[in-house]
Amino acid sequence: MSEISAQQFMQRVLSVIDRFERAGPYVPAAIDWQQVHAARWMAEGAGGWLRPLVKGSEAHLRDVIGVDRQKGLLQANTRQFVQGMPANNALLWGARGTGKSSLVRALLAEYADQGLRLIEIDKTDLLHLPALVEQIRDLPWRFLLFCDDLAFEADDSAYKTLKTVLDGSVETAPDNLLLYATSNRRHLLPEQRSDNQAAKMVDGELHPGEAIEEKIALSDRFGLWVSFYPFSQEHYLAVVQHWLTEVAAQYQLEWAWDDELQLEALRWALSRGNRNGRCASQFARAWVGRRLLEENQAGA
């Protein structure tokens, strides 16, 4: 590269940098919550912005099978919230794939017409909650802050931030914001045998050690605990039939439940080592897809 061309190159680089600096930081467009029902918090520096989520296939309450008690608890709490009445932050905990996340998203579909909106946030971004609150505090909508798969490791200090959030200070908990979190752990932190070694007897009563108290204190800050348990075989097969009906209807596929299909569904669950709603949905999609492929090949 000659000396002149090198100078021209550097001038172009400086020109690009100058235009970039004059452009300033990226400022996302304000969300039209009349049209947008869900968004995701995108952390950036000490704050962040809300990115609208494109609607996919919506989950509905009818699709969450066999958890009527859990569904009733969440519906009642959410109805209170959207109608401006006192309501509690909720922790949905228990076995994986049992409908925890699906239930939260189904609540959005159920109550969106009543002003409910959903904001998804990662656990690591909860420390930016004050910045998020400033963007929604004075809006007329009712926002569910949804943190999926919330859990912390033993050396993770981020849970202390969450404790502060759940304490309900004026800054972090406006009336139009409620936190729903899902987790496989009831206490959100790993529980170890060594935690019990600090327990002691005081006046004939057993008092847990500080480590256990710390772990219990975090989940205690959720006013509503909703527990989900592993599926029985009967429960799993009922969910399989539901999803077969739903998926087959999308493709006008006729099907019938029989012993052979039941055995195939059970083998599918056995190969994955789990019977749950996610497994049932996956089996339905695989089975319907295979049948459609077979019909296309037979008609070719």
Side-chain angles (χ1 to χ4, degrees):
M1 182 180 293
S2 67
E3 182 178 350
I4 295 177
S5 61
Q7 290 177 348
Q8 291 174 338
F9 174 75
M10 290 304 299
Q11 287 176 350
R12 291 176 182 174
V13 171
L14 292 173
S15 176
V16 170
I17 293 174
D18 182 61
R19 287 198 302 269
F20 178 78
E21 290 179 344
R22 282 184 294 169
Y26 170 66
V27 180
I31 291 181
D32 179 6
W33 289 108
Q34 188 70 40
Q35 304 297 325
V36 175
H37 291 175
R40 183 166 187 83
W41 178 252
M42 309 299 293
E44 185 175 303
W49 51 283
L50 289 165
R51 176 174 64 83
L53 293 179
V54 179
K55 277 189 177 181
S57 54
E58 289 189 350
H60 296 278
L61 290 175
R62 67 173 182 273
D63 296 323
V64 188
I65 307 296
V67 288
D68 294 339
R69 181 188 65 83
Q70 296 89 332
K71 193 186 302 184
L73 289 171
L74 265 297
Q75 276 190 279
N77 194 63
T78 306
R79 279 198 303 269
Q80 292 170 212
F81 177 58
V82 296
Q83 294 179 21
M85 303 173 185
N88 280 305
N89 297 309
L91 174 63
L92 289 67
W93 72 275
R96 68 183 189 276
T98 49
K100 299 184 294 295
S101 301
S102 297
L103 183 52
V104 174
R105 295 188 174 99
L107 289 169
L108 173 63
E110 181 77 10
Y111 296 104
D113 291 343
Q114 300 180 38
L116 186 67
R117 297 295 182 264
L118 185 82
I119 297 175
E120 295 185 351
I121 188 170
D122 289 330
K123 69 163 188 177
T124 54
D125 296 332
L126 287 170
L127 71 162
H128 299 301
L129 190 58
L132 188 158
V133 167
E134 287 306 311
Q135 296 188 27
I136 66 170
R137 180 186 297 277
D138 298 322
L139 298 179
W141 312 100
R142 311 294 286 178
F143 292 95
L144 277 186
L145 186 63
F146 178 40
C147 191
D148 199 13
D149 291 327
L150 181 63
F152 302 98
E153 297 306 318
D155 58 349
D156 191 345
S157 61
Y159 74 90
K160 295 180 180 179
T161 302
L162 178 59
K163 284 173 61 177
T164 302
V165 170
L166 296 176
D167 273 336
S169 68
V170 173
E171 180 182 20
T172 58
D175 290 339
N176 66 339
L177 182 67
L178 206 62
L179 173 63
Y180 280 10
T182 69
S183 178
N184 295 332
R185 299 171 179 168
R186 191 174 87 177
H187 291 148
L188 304 177
L189 289 158
E191 299 181 59
Q192 302 171 349
R193 180 186 301 177
S194 59
D195 293 340
N196 293 315
Q197 295 176 357
K200 56 185 178 181
M201 297 293 293
V202 178
D203 295 330
E205 294 183 351
L206 181 64
H207 289 252
E210 291 184 1
I212 293 179
E213 290 283 7
E214 182 78 1
K215 294 174 180 181
I216 294 176
L218 177 56
S219 54
D220 271 352
R221 282 168 167 76
F222 288 91
L224 178 62
W225 288 4
V226 184
S227 51
F228 291 73
Y229 300 99
F231 286 10
S232 65
Q233 179 171 300
E234 181 181 4
H235 186 179
Y236 166 71
L237 292 174
V239 178
V240 167
Q241 293 179 63
H242 169 80
W243 283 116
L244 283 171
T245 301
E246 292 291 320
V247 179
Q250 296 176 26
Y251 299 93
Q252 294 78 50
L253 175 69
E254 294 185 1
W255 67 283
W257 184 256
D258 55 28
D259 291 343
E260 182 179 352
L261 183 51
Q262 175 173 305
L263 182 59
E264 192 174 347
L266 292 173
R267 285 173 175 167
W268 177 278
L270 183 62
S271 70
R272 281 153 181 74
N274 204 347
R275 292 191 302 249
N276 58 34
R278 185 180 300 122
C279 181
S281 174
Q282 291 167 348
F283 170 76
R285 295 186 63 82
W287 187 87
V288 170
R290 187 172 69 250
R291 283 291 303 274
L292 291 170
L293 186 60
E294 291 170 354
E295 287 188 359
N296 288 343
Q297 292 173 342

